[in-house]
Amino acid sequence: MIMLSETIILQSAGSLSVAALALLMMILQALFFFRRPQSTWYVWGAAISFSALVYALGIFLEYNTPRGPLNRFSGLLEWTAVILLVHTLYGFTFSFLGIKSRRYHPTAGVFHGITLILLWSTDYIVADTFVTRSFMGLRTPYVEPALGPLGPLFILYVAAASVNAMIVWIRHRGPEPAHWIVYLIGIAVWIVLGIHDGLAAIGLPTFQYFMEYGFLGFAVSILWVTFSSYLEVSAQEKYRVISQFANDCILVIQDRKIIYGNAACSDLTGRPVTDSGVIGLLNIMGTETRRDVLQYYKALLEDRPVAKTLTLWIRAADDKEKFVEIASNRIQYGNRPAVLSVIRDMTERKRAEEILRESEEKYRSMMEAMGDAVYICSPDFRIQYMNPSMIQMVGRDATGELCHKALFDKDEPCPWCLFVQFQPGDISETEIIDPKDNRSYHVTHSPIFHQDNSISHMFILKDTTLTKQLQNQLLRSERLSATGQLAATIAHEINSPLQGIASLLNSIERTQNLDDRLSEQLNLIKRAFTSIRDTVKKLLDLSRPGKEVKQSINVNKVIEDTVGLLNSHLRKHQVRVQLNLDSTIPNIQASPQQLSHVFMNLISNAVEAMTGNGTSENYMNTENRHNGTITIDTDVQNDILITKVVDTGPGISEADMEYLFDPFYTRKKELGMGIGLSLCHSIIHDHHGTITAKNATEGGAVFTITLPIE
Ligand code: ADP
């Protein structure tokens, strides 16, 4: 029995084991293919295993047969397996790497078919003669069919095809480095062993043939690659199942195509997305956005750093504008780089945000424009917001600072911020006076409730100083007119009996036989009577100053005339009058006599104040006494004529200020009746103007008269 001779038994066992393993791998790859018919590379993988099986069987037969047809048949089997391997090698490479080659299969198919026909029907590739090889370490010579004339060419072709397949893999790589490295190792083992066996075939001293192990190694590496891709695809499938239920649109983009899109994508875009070109997806975006999105995907695929998310407006099939956020990542999908995008419909949120922003904007601009000062104190007692009026009031922007510290210089939060039992809608109102400048404010405090139950506080401070002043003025003028009226009524009552007394006095005076004593007493009565009558006249004037005729006059002239009249009086008291009159002031409608009366009163009051008569005790000390200067200026502002009478006297005490214009209010020890200023008020009021008094900062009283020009 020649078969299984002792020296080649090892070799036979080796090739049989290779055949068995190759069969197993073929079955495995076939199983993969039945599970996933869309992945054609499993068929190619099975075909590679099949070629390994055929080769191993050929070797086994060759080892164990003598010269003769069976031995030649084994040689033909081996070469058939080699052709099959070359063909399937490219089939696997193209399908696994996703390379589309329309020319390969027809061209290579025809070429390999012709080669097979040549192989089996002629002696060109495998000759009909036999050679005996003596391998190193093997005693028994090894018989095999000799190569035909085309044999070496054929070997060269196989070598070149293998090297080229390697180059294709190196060029295209595929996504997973592990895959192509394993593949390259497989093909390299095959090539190295092929060279070894080729050297043996041309008769150089070598070891026994190893080619079947090359086949096996290659088939194993293919199995590894397909198996790991099988696992990967299984994972992908699971992920497809999960993503199908996701509310966000989940897309996989590869080779400019959307190769996967879940149901939410169709809902979002209003059209089916899978297998439409990316262009289809881009069409729903504006031109500007399109470029950004393309660049974004390109950068992702090239593994360049990109923004994590993109937000943009898209137009869905139903023409609805939607605002979406795209978050993407580079992934391996079907063994190749792809982009996984999660597109979230943010339209509702965006709209809500916009509405919120608009209303915030509205409130903010309202607050900015508000004359009232507004500030908001956060739950941790920090100033969250101050409007411009508040900033102006405080003198700086204290946003972020502790409110009690910044506004009230206190170390503890204010009690009104600590009050916890607020109810929504609670609003409290208080009046405060700022000790710094004596301005009064109406404060409205309303709590703002947050979702976490914490409370911010909004305060609106309305400056009520002016309103208060106006109210006071109104009260005062009511009081003035009431007392004035009373005085006038009394004067009127006194006036009628006075008329009687006057005529009686006249008739007594006309009596011839009055003795000297009586005549002297009568003179005294007449003097007292005249004084009473003057006073009564003044009192009557209080209530009806308007009986004088108004005419177009120049106030400057009235002032100059009045000062001229008082010249000797002023000289006597060593008081200087300085006139700063604006020569451009227009004429006004007024009574010159009455205005002259006003200025006369103001000037004589000033003279008296500066010479020490008529001021309150506090203001009476001698240090404050001046024989000073009275300054009178006129000026026009906003159609109002302003006249100021300023003296360098002791000024007016706070207590007097309030009652200055009241009838009968006087501080003068002698001769004071308290009618002067009251009459001035009455006259100016009758001219639709105002008269006010204050103290100048440098001392002295300032009386300001405003008169409308129209
Ligand atoms: P009378 O002059 O009769 O006192 P007025 O009504 O003219 O009455 O003045 C009221 C009071 O106002 C005066 O008693 C005086 O105390 C105060 N007064 C008026 N003018 C001045 C002034 N220029 N400086 C200081 N006090 C003044």
Side-chain angles (χ1 to χ4, degrees), residues 81-319:
V82 169
I83 294 169
L84 200 61
L85 183 76
V86 169
H87 194 86
T88 51
L89 176 63
Y90 280 89
F92 179 80
T93 302
F94 289 156
S95 105
F96 193 78
L97 294 184
I99 302 168
K100 299 252 167 319
S101 171
R102 263 180 276 116
R103 267 175 309 143
Y104 174 73
H105 286 291
T107 326
V110 169
F111 177 68
H112 292 148
I114 293 171
T115 318
L116 278 179
I117 294 168
L118 273 179
L119 176 70
W120 285 86
S121 57
T122 66
D123 301 340
Y124 296 148
I125 297 172
V126 175
D128 204 10
T129 53
F130 295 90
V131 284
T132 308
R133 309 229 177 272
S134 306
F135 289 123
M136 293 191 285
L138 272 189
R139 228 180 315 130
T140 318
Y142 180 87
V143 178
E144 64 176 2
L147 277 182
L150 292 182
L153 213 63
F154 179 66
I155 291 176
L156 266 180
Y157 165 71
V158 172
S162 315
V163 171
N164 186 52
M166 247 176 131
I167 292 168
V168 172
W169 267 80
I170 290 170
R171 290 246 305 272
H172 288 267
R173 278 189 188 198
E176 187 64 62
H179 283 172
W180 68 272
I181 289 169
V182 168
Y183 179 90
L184 286 185
I185 292 171
I187 207 167
V189 168
W190 193 64
I191 290 173
V192 168
L193 295 181
I195 290 170
H196 173 272
D197 287 12
L199 294 178
I202 56 173
L204 290 171
T206 47
F207 296 104
Q208 61 169 78
Y209 284 138
F210 288 122
M211 199 52 178
E212 70 269 37
Y213 298 105
F215 267 88
L216 183 71
F218 190 56
V220 167
S221 70
I222 295 291
L223 181 69
W224 190 88
V225 170
T226 54
F227 185 62
S228 62
S229 88
Y230 180 86
L231 292 180
E232 207 170 86
V233 171
S234 303
Q236 276 167 19
E237 244 152 43
K238 274 209 187 82
Y239 138 87
R240 267 168 189 263
V241 170
I242 295 165
S243 70
Q244 208 57 36
F245 296 104
N247 284 330
D248 293 339
C249 160
I250 299 174
L251 282 181
V252 178
I253 299 171
Q254 195 170 51
D255 303 332
R256 298 169 162 269
K257 262 193 168 178
I258 298 173
I259 54 163
Y260 173 70
N262 65 354
C265 290
S266 314
D267 294 347
L268 181 75
T269 58
R271 65 193 106 201
V273 283
T274 323
D275 286 335
S276 70
V278 171
I279 297 302
L281 178 72
L282 292 177
N283 277 342
I284 60 179
M285 299 166 185
T287 335
E288 278 288 292
T289 333
R290 235 179 269 184
R291 216 183 28 235
D292 292 350
V293 173
L294 273 180
Q295 269 168 7
Y296 172 71
Y297 279 124
K298 207 164 154 230
L300 269 168
L301 279 171
E302 288 169 8
D303 228 359
R304 279 187 280 126
V306 281
K308 257 189 105 64
T309 54
L310 265 190
T311 46
L312 47 108
W313 283 98
I314 60 163
R315 186 177 289 281
D318 51 7
D319 233 22

Side-chain angles (χ1 to χ4, degrees), residues 204 302 308 379 415 417-418 423 427 615:
L204 290 171
E302 288 169 8
K308 257 189 105 64
C417 284
L418 288 174
Q423 297 293 322
I427 290 180
T615 49

Side-chain angles (χ1 to χ4, degrees), residues 434-464:
D434 188 345
K436 281 206 294 288
D437 52 9
N438 268 334
R439 297 191 78 84
S440 26
Y441 295 94
H442 177 92
V443 185
T444 314
H445 168 203
S446 43
I448 304 170
F449 292 86
H450 299 287
Q451 288 198 327
D452 60 355
N453 287 334
S454 61
I455 302 172
S456 292
H457 303 267
M458 180 165 78
F459 298 90
I460 304 175
L461 282 77
K462 195 180 194 66
D463 188 339
T464 51

Side-chain angles (χ1 to χ4, degrees), residues 274-445:
T274 323
D275 286 335
S276 70
V278 171
I279 297 302
L281 178 72
L282 292 177
N283 277 342
I284 60 179
M285 299 166 185
T287 335
E288 278 288 292
T289 333
R290 235 179 269 184
R291 216 183 28 235
D292 292 350
V293 173
L294 273 180
Q295 269 168 7
Y296 172 71
Y297 279 124
K298 207 164 154 230
L300 269 168
L301 279 171
E302 288 169 8
D303 228 359
R304 279 187 280 126
V306 281
K308 257 189 105 64
T309 54
L310 265 190
T311 46
L312 47 108
W313 283 98
I314 60 163
R315 186 177 289 281
D318 51 7
D319 233 22
K320 266 195 199 142
E321 293 251 305
K322 289 185 180 171
F323 185 76
V324 295
E325 182 191 78
I326 308 185
S328 305
N329 224 336
R330 192 179 128 108
I331 57 158
Q332 299 296 342
Y333 196 88
N335 298 309
R336 280 172 312 108
V339 174
L340 171 81
S341 285
V342 179
I343 307 182
R344 178 165 291 183
D345 187 349
M346 309 277 279
T347 321
E348 287 307 312
R349 198 197 291 185
K350 175 94 178 163
R351 295 242 157 90
E353 271 174 13
E354 254 160 34
I355 290 171
L356 193 71
R357 218 194 39 232
E358 267 171 28
S359 86
E360 264 180 7
E361 201 65 38
K362 207 155 62 192
Y363 281 115
R364 185 171 288 270
S365 51
M366 243 163 72
M367 289 207 179
E368 311 267 276
M370 227 154 111
D372 297 347
V374 180
Y375 72 95
I376 296 175
C377 190
S378 71
D380 57 350
F381 313 114
R382 291 194 177 272
I383 299 176
Q384 226 168 17
Y385 174 74
M386 288 171 96
N387 77 344
S389 307
M390 186 69 196
I391 293 174
Q392 197 186 0
M393 196 178 132
V394 177
R396 70 200 163 90
D397 187 349
T399 313
E401 295 177 29
L402 286 168
C403 40
H404 42 273
K405 188 81 198 154
L407 304 178
F408 305 102
D409 200 22
K410 283 190 189 142
D411 292 326
E412 293 298 316
C414 312
W416 46 84
C417 284
L418 288 174
F419 182 62
V420 280
Q421 283 161 322
F422 288 109
Q423 297 293 322
D426 271 1
I427 290 180
S428 66
E429 295 177 66
T430 34
E431 301 290 329
I432 59 162
I433 292 175
D434 188 345
K436 281 206 294 288
D437 52 9
N438 268 334
R439 297 191 78 84
S440 26
Y441 295 94
H442 177 92
V443 185
T444 314
H445 168 203

Side-chain angles (χ1 to χ4, degrees), residues 605-606 609 614 647 651-652 660 665-668 672-674 676-677 701 703:
N605 271 347
D647 63 48
I652 305 152
L660 215 57
Y665 188 81
T666 182
R667 281 288 192 173
K668 287 171 192 162
M673 243 191 85
L677 286 180
F703 284 84

